[in-house]
């Protein structure tokens, strides 16, 4: 049993305690680990009554577990019925942890996005394969042209923001109205409808991807902390790598032989803040040593006495190289579990390596040194390339957080960004004097550098870039003679990517054989406007393909990775990508879910007809007036559910199969919807498409159009129902024969598309992963991924879309 004290900082709770290692720590507990009385006080924002409260808990993995007042029992706040301030919650069924290769347990929620598998394409069918488009110059006798009349009806509110008229109501925070047309009704751009249809058309015909950019670099993942022992300090010298191994020899596994760490520790930071500590070792001028400076130092051997036990050199005195270092300092004194060994001090020369206080509790930087001449190994072009990709990845991942004004990693309390994260493009290049860490091993007695890293506890690169795992048949077409069905129907523009064999870029385009007219709103009073500054939209997540359990596939067919897959088992050459990202329809929302969005109901769950609790996911929770910032936007108005638009689609020279795929999308099974507009992860933009009537549309073969134009008398529009049904049948038969065993709805990408269009029949809530039951004002989605990436048998992947049983709020269950 461990005891501690609750410390309230703003809207955050932290627990201050002495952990099992004897270290003073202060960290926020997970809400699910708070006993019911504490949980309720926090949710009610009665924080003053919690400040300095004495608590007891179990320490599990260094984290507080089952936190309750001293002398009280722990009451689960996530239990059914009474948790979270009296909110009715359906209890999840008890399930066991599945085997690594088994199915996921029944979940508590679904992820807002999933993937329709993009299978390696089979191009033997002339209509599903690749070929040059037939053009627009004449009506081909065996192809179909004409006009299709369509009705679009909104099922959930539709966000069509007017970016040109957005109002800045707070620094870096804008308020959006619905974009209106000249008729005073919502303006739904034809390009938005076309984009929606094209994405769906690509999926159901397994066409090439229209766009696949910025995936040629390998992604990075967080490596285990223990690998830091294999990191050898290195410096670029004369175009090579000089390895500064201190007083140790490199072992066969890269770890220091003899147990003493390679680099000397340079005391610098206060453990519990971002400040420079009063014990920091400085120059005689009282200046702090700077990164890359050549120095002379006195070092003393220390040993950490508690597990994990290790020895290291500690800098006791420092001057710039060439200055007088002076006499040996007096022997050091113990600091916590760290004690001097009594071995003679050494005077050495080296280089200061400053990476910044990039993790909580960090108190030392490093001095790279070597008791003899450093061993020199080649700095290969491959190592330079991998370094460039890694630093670029670091910087791009954190760019949004830095732009938002964050001073350090959001998951940490007392840290700042590493030097290489904020250092710009210059940090991406290894140049003379650059300091880094070399991950090495010995092969046949020779030192081999596997990779280079900017810090000891670092990210590593996956083995392959995403682009290399996508089947070539799915890559965007590079020539007009290789257009897939979606390219031929909707148009194609060659990606402006420089040809490796030429200094010029190849260019090309085809406008497609389909055009969409402006949409006309047929409903009266279609827009709902909200008072004052509307409501703050919830924060939308950014794509994170480095979350490999969600984005990487076990095989080229896009299947989810096996449960338990680790970083070094992902993005391998024999694997693939999950496919085309989609946002499933939010099925089973409770009555009144979209009512009164300006009212903050985010902490009050409502049960749907299936007994599943849903929250007001689309609104950002109130955080003491901080719910509007540069991470989100505010909504002044939206298009109401039940609003109808009409538009027409003009087609030219579509084959029967190409036409059938389009008509299939315009005539989906009942209760299946497309997704349109903004905020799709939050449930906005589900729309239903339907044909306006068999006599409204006019679709004829080129032969029939020839007869029509040769006639001198007026002719009524033909009954196109036979054309429509024959085309849909031809499309479904082509897909079934090409990708299935004659069953259209069993083809993987069709099953996944239909699941996304209908939503999940279990009617579980859909939201980004989180450990909290209700939306957290501070987000903190990273906590779910931290738990899911633990060292036990969790590590759940994102399920296959048509098999999705949901994810667990607590991945350890």
């Amino acid at each position: 049993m461990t005891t501690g004290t609750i410390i309230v900082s703003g809207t955050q709770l932290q627990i201050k305690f002495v952990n099992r290692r004897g270290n003073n720590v202060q960290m926020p507990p997970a809400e699910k680990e708070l006993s019911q009385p504490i949980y309720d006080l926090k949710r009610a924002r009665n924080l003053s009554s919690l400040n300095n409260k004495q608590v007891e808990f179990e320490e599990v993995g260094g984290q507080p577990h089952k936190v309750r007042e001293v002398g009280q029992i722990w009451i689960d706040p996530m239990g059914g019925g009474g948790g979270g301030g009296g909110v009715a919650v359906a209890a999840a069924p008890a399930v066991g942890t599945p085997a690594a290769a088994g199915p996921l347990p029944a979940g508590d929620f679904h992820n807002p996005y999933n993937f329709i598998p993009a299978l390696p394409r089979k191009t033997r069918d002339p209509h599903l394969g690749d070929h040059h488009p037939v053009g627009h110059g004449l009506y081909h006798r065996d192809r179909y042209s004409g006009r299709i009349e369509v009705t679009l009806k909104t099922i959930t509110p539709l966000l069509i923001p007017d970016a040109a008229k957005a109002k800045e109501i707070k620094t870096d925070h804008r308020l959006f109205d619905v974009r209106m047309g000249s008729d005073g009704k919502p303006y739904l751009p034809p390009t938005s409808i076309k984009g929606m249809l094209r994405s769906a058309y690509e999926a159901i015909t397994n066409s090439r991807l229209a766009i696949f950019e910025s995936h040629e670099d390998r992604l990075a993942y967080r490596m285990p902390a223990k690998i830091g022992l294999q990191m050898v300090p290195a410096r670029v010298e004369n175009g090579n790598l000089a390895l500064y191994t201190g007083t140790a020899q490199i072992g066969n596994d890269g770890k220091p032989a003899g147990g003493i760490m390679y680099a000397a520790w340079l005391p610098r930071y206060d453990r519990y803040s971002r400040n420079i500590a009063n014990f920091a070792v400085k120059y005689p001028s009282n200046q702090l040593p700077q990164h890359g400076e050549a120095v002379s130092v006195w070092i003393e051997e220390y040993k950490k006495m508690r597990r994990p036990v290790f020895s290291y050199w500690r800098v006791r005195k420092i001057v710039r190289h060439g200055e007088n270092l002076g006499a040996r300092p007096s022997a050091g004194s113990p600091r916590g579990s760290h004690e001097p060994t009594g071995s003679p001090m050494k005077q050495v020369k080296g280089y200061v390596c400053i990476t910044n206080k990039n993790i909580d509790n960090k108190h030392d930087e490093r001095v790279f040194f070597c008791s003899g001449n450093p061993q020199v190994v080649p700095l290969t072009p491959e190592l330079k390339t991998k370094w460039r990709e890694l630093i670029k990845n670091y910087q791009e991942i954190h760019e949004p957080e830095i732009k938002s004004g964050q001073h350090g990693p959001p998951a940490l309390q007392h840290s700042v960004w590493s030097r290489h994260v904020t250092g710009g493009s210059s940090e991406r290049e290894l140049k003379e004097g650059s300091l880094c860490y070399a991950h090495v091993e010995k092969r046949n007695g020779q030192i081999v550098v596997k990779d280079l890293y900017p810090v000891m506890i670092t990210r590593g690169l996956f083995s392959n870039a995403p682009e290399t795992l996508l089947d070539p048949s799915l890559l965007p077409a590079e020539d007009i003679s290789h257009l897939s069905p979606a390219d031929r129907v909707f148009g194609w523009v060659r990606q402006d990517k420089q040809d490796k064999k030429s200094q010029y870029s190849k260019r090309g385009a085809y406008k497609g054989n389909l055009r969409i007219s402006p949409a006309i709103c047929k409903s009266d009073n279609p827009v709902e406007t909200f008072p004052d500054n509307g409501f703050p939209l919830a924060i939308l997540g950014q794509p994170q393909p480095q979350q490999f359990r969600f984005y990487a596939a076990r095989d080229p067919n896009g299947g989810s990775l096996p449960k338990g897959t680790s970083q070094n088992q992902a993005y391998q050459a024999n694997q693939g990508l999950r496919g085309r990202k989609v946002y499933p329809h939010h099925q089973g929302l409770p009555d009144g879910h979209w009512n009164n969005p300006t009212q903050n109901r985010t902490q009050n769950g409502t049960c749907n007809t299936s007994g599943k609790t849903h929250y007001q996911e689309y609104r950002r929770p109130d955080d003491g007036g901080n719910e509007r910032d540069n991470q989100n936007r505010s909504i002044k108005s939206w298009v109401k559910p039940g609003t109808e638009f009409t538009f027409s689609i003009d087609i030219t020279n579509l084959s029967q199969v190409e036409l059938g795929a389009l008509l299939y999308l315009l005539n989906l099974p009942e209760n299946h919807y497309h997704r349109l507009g903004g905020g799709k992860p939050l449930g906005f933009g589900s729309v239903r498409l339907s044909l306006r009537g068999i006599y409204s549309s006019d679709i004829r073969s080129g032969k029939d159009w020839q007869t029509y134009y040769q006639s001198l008398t007026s002719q009524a529009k033909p009954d196109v129902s036979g054309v429509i049904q024959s085309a849909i049948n031809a499309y479904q038969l082509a897909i079934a024969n090409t990708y299935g065993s004659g069953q259209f709805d069993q083809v993987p990408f069709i099953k996944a598309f239909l699941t996304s269009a209908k939503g999940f029949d279990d009617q579980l809530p859909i939201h980004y992963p989180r450990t909290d039951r209700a939306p957290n004002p501070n987000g903190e989605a990273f906590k779910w991924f931290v738990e899911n990436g633990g060292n036990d048998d969790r590590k759940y992947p994102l399920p296959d879309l048509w098999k999705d049983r949901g994810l667990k709020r607590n991945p350890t269950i």
Side-chain angles (χ1 to χ4, degrees):
M1 184 73 64
T2 304
T3 59
T5 305
I6 292 180
I7 304 296
V8 176
S9 176
T11 60
Q12 290 289 304
L13 296 185
Q14 298 199 24
I15 298 181
K16 185 176 181 180
F17 64 99
V18 178
N19 65 15
R20 291 177 179 174
R21 297 180 178 179
N23 298 324
N24 291 309
V25 296
Q26 185 171 317
M27 64 179 62
E31 281 198 342
K32 63 184 177 61
E33 300 297 350
L34 298 176
S35 187
Q36 180 77 57
I38 299 176
Y39 178 93
D40 288 345
L41 288 172
K42 181 177 185 296
R43 281 298 180 182
R45 300 190 182 280
N46 191 0
L47 301 181
S48 59
S49 63
L50 292 174
N51 197 31
N52 294 318
K53 184 178 289 294
Q54 300 299 303
V55 292
E56 60 186 21
F57 50 89
E58 284 83 41
E59 186 181 339
V60 180
Q63 303 292 319
H65 182 64
K66 295 186 176 180
V67 181
R68 64 271 191 186
E69 289 188 57
V70 172
Q72 300 297 315
I73 63 171
W74 185 78
I75 303 174
D76 187 356
M78 302 301 175
V87 179
V89 179
V95 294
T97 302
L104 296 182
D108 301 312
F109 68 95
H110 294 286
N111 197 54
Y113 63 85
N114 208 302
F115 298 88
I116 294 175
L119 308 183
R121 297 178 60 235
K122 299 178 180 179
T123 56
R124 64 178 182 269
D125 186 290
H127 304 291
L128 298 177
D130 298 341
H131 59 73
H132 199 288
V134 297
H136 314 88
L138 56 88
Y139 288 147
H140 292 264
R141 291 176 61 85
D142 60 342
R143 289 180 172 260
Y144 292 86
S145 302
R147 174 168 292 183
I148 306 171
E149 299 291 346
V150 186
T151 296
L152 182 152
K153 182 178 181 179
T154 60
I155 305 302
T156 62
L158 177 63
L159 300 184
I160 319 174
D162 190 341
K165 296 183 179 180
K167 177 183 177 183
E168 189 166 35
I169 60 174
K170 196 175 180 181
T171 303
D172 291 334
H173 184 88
R174 296 194 293 170
L175 175 68
F176 289 88
D177 254 323
V178 169
R179 185 178 180 182
M180 306 296 284
S182 58
D183 60 354
K185 292 188 175 182
Y187 175 71
L188 182 53
T191 52
S192 297
I193 299 174
K194 186 176 182 180
M196 173 188 71
L197 286 173
R198 174 168 190 145
S199 296
Y201 195 94
E202 281 186 19
I204 67 165
T205 59
N206 200 36
S207 290
R208 292 181 179 272
L209 300 175
I211 299 174
F212 191 75
E213 296 179 337
S214 303
H215 298 295
E216 66 276 5
D217 289 340
R218 283 164 286 198
L219 300 170
Y221 62 90
R222 191 173 299 280
M223 300 176 71
K226 63 183 180 181
I227 206 169
L229 292 175
Q230 297 173 268
M231 299 295 181
V232 178
R235 184 172 184 266
V236 178
E237 297 179 0
N238 300 316
N240 294 308
L241 283 174
L243 302 180
Y244 283 79
T245 57
T247 59
Q249 299 293 319
I250 298 176
N252 291 331
D253 58 357
K255 297 178 182 178
I260 192 163
M261 299 180 74
Y262 293 123
W265 291 26
L266 177 64
R268 194 171 182 99
Y269 304 114
D270 178 70
R271 183 187 294 269
Y272 303 110
S273 72
R274 297 188 178 105
N275 300 329
I276 301 299
N278 55 12
F279 56 76
V281 175
K282 303 178 181 179
Y283 293 137
S285 63
N286 205 37
Q287 293 178 312
L288 284 168
Q290 299 302 306
H291 180 71
E293 290 183 335
V295 294
S296 297
V297 294
W298 278 107
I299 56 176
E300 183 178 13
E301 185 180 359
Y302 268 68
K303 186 172 185 178
K304 184 174 178 291
M305 306 306 293
R306 291 197 180 98
R307 297 183 63 183
V309 177
F310 58 87
S311 298
Y312 63 95
W313 293 103
R314 182 183 182 90
V315 174
R316 297 295 318 286
K317 192 174 183 180
I318 187 169
V319 297
R320 293 182 178 88
H321 182 59
E323 296 179 359
N324 182 18
L325 182 59
R328 175 189 296 113
S330 58
S333 57
R335 299 183 63 88
S337 61
H338 299 250
E339 299 179 1
T341 64
S343 299
M345 294 188 195
K346 293 181 179 292
Q347 181 177 346
V348 297
K349 299 174 182 177
Y351 297 92
V352 176
C353 181
I354 305 294
T355 59
N356 295 340
K357 194 178 187 228
N358 44 23
I359 57 174
D360 284 354
N361 299 333
K362 178 177 177 178
H363 39 73
D364 290 81
E365 292 288 3
R366 299 291 187 267
V367 170
F368 293 1
F369 74 99
C370 194
S371 56
N373 292 323
Q375 184 170 349
V376 177
V377 295
L379 176 58
T380 65
E382 181 185 8
L383 289 173
K384 291 182 178 180
T385 298
K386 293 172 75 173
W387 173 273
R388 190 179 303 116
E389 291 178 9
L390 178 62
I391 303 303
K392 180 183 177 184
N393 184 275
Y394 262 109
Q395 295 177 349
E396 289 178 348
I397 285 175
H398 297 300
E399 183 178 10
E401 297 166 323
I402 294 172
K403 285 185 176 179
S404 71
Q406 294 186 23
H407 299 289
L412 303 178
Q413 302 294 316
H414 311 302
S415 304
V416 299
W417 299 112
S418 296
R419 187 195 69 257
H420 61 275
V421 172
T422 57
S425 58
S426 63
E427 290 289 338
R428 301 181 185 180
E429 303 300 326
L430 289 170
K431 48 189 177 294
E432 188 71 14
S434 291
L435 299 177
C436 58
Y437 287 92
H439 186 194
V440 306
E441 64 180 12
K442 277 187 176 180
R443 298 176 187 170
N444 299 322
Q446 298 297 314
I447 299 295
V448 177
V449 178
K450 301 168 65 176
D451 290 293
L452 298 176
Y453 299 106
V455 288
M456 290 182 67
I457 301 176
T458 182
R459 289 192 177 99
L461 290 175
F462 290 106
S463 300
N464 296 275
E467 184 178 73
T468 64
L469 302 185
L470 188 69
D471 191 86
S473 66
L474 291 160
L475 289 170
E478 295 190 356
D479 187 85
I480 198 170
S481 64
H482 296 143
L483 301 193
S484 65
D487 301 317
R488 300 191 298 267
V489 174
F490 286 85
W492 165 78
V493 176
R494 188 186 188 278
Q495 291 190 32
D496 191 11
K497 191 173 181 180
Q498 186 167 324
D499 191 315
K500 296 179 180 179
K501 298 180 180 179
S502 170
Q503 62 178 330
Y504 303 104
S505 296
K506 290 182 178 179
R507 298 180 184 275
Y510 181 71
K511 77 171 186 176
N513 288 42
L514 171 153
R515 182 172 62 84
I516 295 177
S517 73
I520 300 173
C521 181
K522 294 294 186 178
S523 299
D524 296 326
N525 192 26
V527 175
E528 184 174 3
T529 301
F530 310 110
D532 302 322
N533 288 326
F535 68 93
L537 199 66
I539 299 173
L540 293 169
Q542 297 289 326
Q544 300 287 340
Q546 64 271 17
Q547 293 291 351
F548 63 93
R549 296 186 187 97
F550 279 35
Y551 283 82
R554 68 172 180 267
D555 54 40
N557 292 325
S560 62
L561 292 170
K563 175 179 172 288
T565 301
S566 299
Q567 292 100 327
N568 59 0
Q569 298 172 310
Y571 288 114
Q572 298 295 309
N574 60 340
Q575 296 175 346
L577 305 179
R578 293 300 300 274
R580 311 171 201 269
K581 181 181 279 190
V582 289
Y583 298 91
H585 168 67
H586 290 215
Q587 187 187 151
L589 293 175
D591 292 340
H593 180 77
W594 301 106
N595 294 348
N596 303 319
T598 58
Q599 179 185 7
N600 179 21
R601 307 187 308 277
T602 57
Q603 306 305 299
N604 302 323
T606 304
C607 288
N608 61 13
T609 56
S610 298
K612 305 301 189 334
T613 302
H614 290 246
Y615 289 86
Q616 191 187 23
E617 303 289 349
Y618 59 89
R619 190 191 196 281
R620 186 172 180 182
D622 186 359
D623 186 22
N626 296 321
E627 67 273 15
R628 303 180 198 251
D629 55 27
N630 58 6
Q631 297 184 77
N632 71 330
R633 302 292 182 263
S634 287
I635 299 300
K636 179 67 175 176
S637 59
W638 65 32
V639 179
K640 296 178 181 178
T643 301
E644 289 194 357
F645 295 83
T646 61
F647 63 92
S648 59
I649 304 176
D650 291 308
I651 59 172
T652 306
N653 289 331
L654 299 189
S655 72
Q656 190 178 38
V657 170
E658 292 169 347
L659 173 62
L662 177 62
L663 292 171
Y664 176 77
L665 293 176
L666 304 177
N667 192 36
L668 291 177
E670 187 178 1
N671 298 325
H672 288 67
Y673 310 103
H674 293 276
R675 306 302 304 280
L676 178 66
K680 289 187 283 292
L682 306 176
F684 292 102
S686 288
V687 300
R688 173 74 180 173
L689 299 181
S690 59
L691 299 174
R692 281 171 54 192
I694 58 175
Y695 292 105
S696 297
S697 300
D698 192 352
I699 310 169
R700 312 186 196 193
S701 67
K703 179 181 178 181
D704 290 338
W705 280 116
Q706 182 182 33
T707 301
Y708 170 81
Y709 283 116
Q710 288 176 342
S711 174
L712 298 179
T713 60
S714 61
Q715 299 180 15
K717 286 185 178 180
D719 180 349
V720 299
S721 58
V723 173
I724 292 172
Q725 193 57 56
S726 295
I728 293 176
N729 290 343
Y731 153 70
Q732 292 181 329
L733 184 62
I735 291 292
N737 289 339
T738 302
Y739 290 100
S741 56
Q743 292 182 288
F744 170 76
D745 58 0
Q746 295 303 305
V747 173
F749 55 80
I750 299 299
K751 290 170 65 177
F753 173 80
L754 290 173
T755 300
S756 178
K758 185 181 181 183
F760 302 106
D761 288 335
D762 58 20
Q763 299 190 358
L764 286 171
I766 295 178
H767 57 72
Y768 289 109
R770 61 176 183 249
T771 56
D772 300 306
R773 183 180 52 191
N776 189 321
N778 300 303
E780 298 184 346
F782 66 88
K783 290 184 177 180
W784 187 92
F785 288 98
V786 169
E787 286 197 15
N788 193 48
N791 294 323
D792 52 22
D793 60 355
R794 58 197 88 164
K795 301 183 175 73
Y796 288 115
L798 183 67
D800 294 321
L801 181 52
W802 66 94
K803 301 177 183 176
D804 194 345
R805 302 179 65 204
L807 295 166
K808 294 295 293 182
R809 184 175 298 116
N810 182 352
T812 63
I813 296 177

